[in-house]
Amino acid sequence: MSSHAPIAGEIATLSPLGKTDTQLLNRIRNKRVKIAVLGMGHVGLPTALSLAAMGWTVLGADSSQALVSQLQAGEAPFYEPGLETLLKEHLGKRFFPVDDLEKAIRESTVLFLCVGTPQKSSGEADLSQIESAARTIAHNLNGYKLIVEKSTVPAITAHWIRRTISRYARNGNHGSRPAEGSMPLQFDVASNPEFLQEGVALKNIFKPDRIVCGVDSDRARQIVEEIYRPFESPLVVTGLSTAEIIKHAANSFLSMKISFINMVADLCDAIGADVTEVAKGIGMDPRIGPDFLQAGIGFGGYCFPKDLRAFIYLAEEHGVNFSLLKEVENINQQRVDVLMKKLRKALWVLHDKTIAVLGLAFKGGTDDTRESPSLRVVDALIEEGAALRLHDPKAMPLLQKVLPPQEGRLTYCDNPYSAADRAQALLVLTEWPEYRTLDWARLRSEMDVPLVIDGRNLLDPKDPRQAGFEYISIGRPEQ
Ligand code: UGA
């Protein structure tokens, strides 16, 4: 129990469990209930499989029939190291993909909400999928349910989920804190934000630094403790909104570290200092820490940019001008220009030049190109009339569907050496480990001009330089 001891006292004052609650908890303790995970995306699928691995029977529900068929065939719908192996291991034993959300809800006692929360043009989170899931739950409330919100959502969404379920429940069920004399409690809502990083999702999910769970009933707290008992990570129990804010604050803080080091990199460029050494020097201070101080072309992906905007929006809605985070976003937007300026400075005119681009995913270890800074560079290069030769170890099959090849202008290449063919510059834009060990002499023989711009400070400058390359990076001295 020690590592699982709740930290917050807020919920300790809630009423003790009744007899039916004790029976419910016993059923959960003996794993005689099912868990449904609603939404089989980057968070939902790893969550479902980790729960299956811990011995739970899990229904992985998604309204996309195509996605469910893919899962039923044992195929992971996106690249995540180890995920497909785990899927094959538990498929049909403890993990059951289904496209009937209603059935999944009716058969399960614990429901993890992992549906998408994209952003509107205003930056506000679009919660229509959450709201729709809440209504579906309400219509299928055939007994007690714990609804665990895992998608990243603005604070107070959990309260809205509870209100929505109460309002739409057909059989008079009510969430916790019922009015005196009303029906017995039939569901609770908990907020359990996910901190997994794409590319290392399974490592994060099986051994998280902490598990944060916001609850407002003792029953919900005990169920969550039961579910996470095998994970042996500290469980931080808070109120609902606090848990929601923890997620936003964590992502925003990490984004802030990246924008901070990127500005330091620009200064290092201007005065000839080395940002990687600065990062090392400041990161050794435990109050700062070494992570997320890698300067480059900025942060992308489905989470940081969207969550940052949603946090700014949430603050604004509540009368708080979070100008610090607005600047974090501005700085990030300008990172692509920093790289483009370096390229123009080296090659002058880009029109009709052949540029090799290594790395299209928003970071290494994933095939995800959502809000990828690399794609913003690709767009800028297309705009300037350059011919592009692209490579990424994983992202190309999915990307080609939305950005098709164009004869002589946009070519997807099987390997980095083919991408370098007759190129006048090579850009490294994603931190894939395999780009660290490229054969620079071979690349040199493929290229027209031996110029490399390392947009992620990924390479050891010695390697390309020894092969005769001009090596340019972000915030590191050029010689
Ligand atoms: C991020 C958080 O790290 C997770 O904790 C969180 O659960 C997740 O968002 C989410 O909200 O779902 P993720 O989007 O997978 O995870 O990617 P990160 O590894 O955080 O990287 C984000 C971006 O920052 C990438 O584009 C990466 O290249 C960039 N980055 C990261 C840097 O530019 N510098 C760094 O030092 C670190």
Side-chain angles (χ1 to χ4, degrees):
M1 189 63 184
S2 60
S3 67
H4 269 72
I7 290 172
E10 189 180 345
I11 50 148
T13 53
L14 297 173
S15 55
L17 299 182
K19 194 167 154 230
T20 46
D21 292 338
T22 312
Q23 286 166 350
L24 171 73
L25 277 169
N26 279 336
R27 278 175 43 233
I28 291 175
R29 210 159 279 149
N30 296 321
K31 297 202 168 62
R32 282 194 282 114
V33 300
K34 286 183 191 157
I35 295 180
V37 178
L38 310 184
M40 286 288 94
H42 286 269
V43 171
L45 183 55
T47 300
L49 292 173
S50 69
L51 291 167
M54 294 299 172
W56 297 96
T57 301
V58 184
L59 304 179
D62 201 289
S63 53
S64 160
Q65 167 75 67
L67 176 58
V68 169
S69 303
Q70 210 180 343
L71 292 173
Q72 282 166 342
E75 253 177 63
F78 49 86
Y79 175 71
E80 181 63 52
L83 193 67
E84 198 159 279
T85 312
L86 200 62
L87 168 64
K88 290 195 162 91
E89 195 180 328
H90 296 291
L91 185 65
K93 294 175 194 137
R94 293 212 199 93
F95 174 65
F96 303 89
V98 291
D99 63 0
D100 186 341
L101 263 64
E102 304 207 358
K103 191 162 174 272
I105 292 166
R106 285 198 301 274
E107 284 187 11
S108 307
T109 302
V110 180
L111 311 173
F112 279 85
L113 274 189
C114 299
V115 295
T117 53
Q119 66 176 332
K120 299 181 185 172
S121 52
S122 58
E124 184 188 2
D126 175 356
L127 300 176
S128 53
Q129 293 181 51
I130 295 268
E131 199 263 356
S132 160
R135 274 188 288 128
T136 312
I137 292 168
H139 294 156
N140 292 281
L141 211 53
N142 57 343
Y144 175 82
K145 314 272 177 208
L146 171 65
I147 296 102
V148 186
E149 156 202 282
K150 225 176 192 355
S151 314
T152 300
V153 289
I156 69 161
T157 301
H159 293 285
W160 272 108
I161 292 173
R162 188 180 32 237
R163 282 180 70 172
T164 306
I165 297 176
S166 296
R167 180 159 291 156
Y168 288 91
R170 285 197 179 126
N171 50 5
N173 283 311
H174 296 272
S176 45
R177 298 183 192 285
E180 215 169 305
S182 66
M183 294 285 291
L185 308 182
Q186 288 299 319
F187 72 92
D188 289 298
V189 177
S191 165
N192 172 216
E194 183 50 62
F195 299 100
L196 68 81
Q197 288 173 272
E198 289 179 29
V200 284
L202 295 187
K203 184 173 156 268
N204 295 156
I205 219 158
F206 281 107
K207 231 184 161 342
D209 309 322
R210 76 292 201 198
I211 296 165
V212 171
C213 199
V215 293
D216 65 355
S217 81
D218 206 33
R219 175 173 59 189
R221 178 178 62 78
Q222 294 209 34
I223 296 173
V224 168
E225 278 181 11
E226 222 32 77
I227 291 172
Y228 282 116
R229 192 174 297 282
F231 285 78
E232 292 180 349
S233 292
L235 183 63
V236 181
V237 180
T238 69
L240 288 169
S241 300
T242 304
E244 290 166 331
I245 295 270
I246 287 174
K247 169 69 195 218
H248 272 295
N251 274 4
S252 302
F253 191 87
L254 292 169
S255 313
M256 185 176 76
K257 275 185 101 174
I258 298 170
S259 280
F260 177 83
I261 202 68
N262 280 335
M263 288 311 296
V264 175
D266 287 355
L267 189 57
C268 286
D269 263 337
I271 59 179
D274 187 330
V275 71
T276 54
E277 285 169 16
V278 174
K280 192 170 164 204
I282 61 174
M284 287 167 90
D285 181 334
R287 292 169 303 176
I288 296 173
D291 297 331
F292 280 68
L293 289 177
Q294 183 75 24
I297 56 169
F299 55 80
Y302 188 60
C303 305
F304 279 3
K306 168 175 84 77
D307 292 355
L308 189 61
R309 282 174 217 135
F311 204 29
I312 294 169
Y313 187 92
L314 178 78
E316 232 148 54
E317 249 195 338
H318 290 83
V320 177
N321 178 11
F322 215 146
S323 53
L324 174 67
L325 294 186
K326 290 181 189 165
E327 204 42 49
V328 168
E329 196 194 353
N330 285 339
I331 292 166
N332 196 52
Q333 285 298 324
Q334 288 154 25
R335 297 316 294 165
V336 167
D337 298 339
V338 169
L339 183 116
M340 289 297 291
K341 269 187 202 142
K342 284 176 185 277
L343 182 60
R344 278 191 221 100
K345 192 174 158 203
L347 284 186
W348 189 21
V349 172
L350 302 180
H351 188 78
D352 276 347
K353 297 246 163 81
T354 299
I355 311 291
V357 173
L358 301 192
L360 302 163
F362 81 94
K363 64 170 190 176
T366 175
D367 58 359
D368 195 345
T369 55
R370 289 175 295 179
E371 297 226 20
S372 171
S374 320
L375 292 194
R376 291 182 47 226
V377 173
V378 166
D379 284 345
L381 289 169
I382 292 173
E383 188 133 319
E384 300 224 13
L388 302 183
R389 298 185 62 78
L390 311 175
H391 175 264
D392 188 284
K394 294 286 175 200
M396 295 195 294
L398 286 177
L399 184 62
Q400 285 186 57
K401 291 183 188 155
V402 286
L403 186 67
Q406 288 166 42
E407 182 72 37
R409 305 306 303 168
L410 193 81
T411 311
Y412 288 93
C413 305
D414 289 342
N415 58 63
Y417 306 99
S418 155
D421 183 30
R422 313 293 311 262
Q424 293 163 61
L426 183 138
L427 311 181
V428 179
L429 301 185
T430 304
E431 58 277 52
W432 280 104
E434 42 267 69
Y435 293 152
R436 278 207 185 96
T437 51
L438 292 168
D439 179 344
W440 288 97
R442 188 172 159 199
L443 284 168
R444 171 75 189 87
S445 67
E446 300 287 350
M447 292 178 66
D448 272 2
V449 179
L451 167 69
V452 54
I453 303 191
D454 183 356
R456 295 291 186 177
N457 289 350
L458 182 74
L459 312 175
D460 181 341
K462 275 200 313 299
D463 298 337
R465 278 186 187 141
Q466 269 167 7
F469 273 85
E470 180 184 352
Y471 173 79
I472 297 170
S473 59
I474 309 282
R476 291 196 285 185
E478 285 186 16
Q479 279 310 320

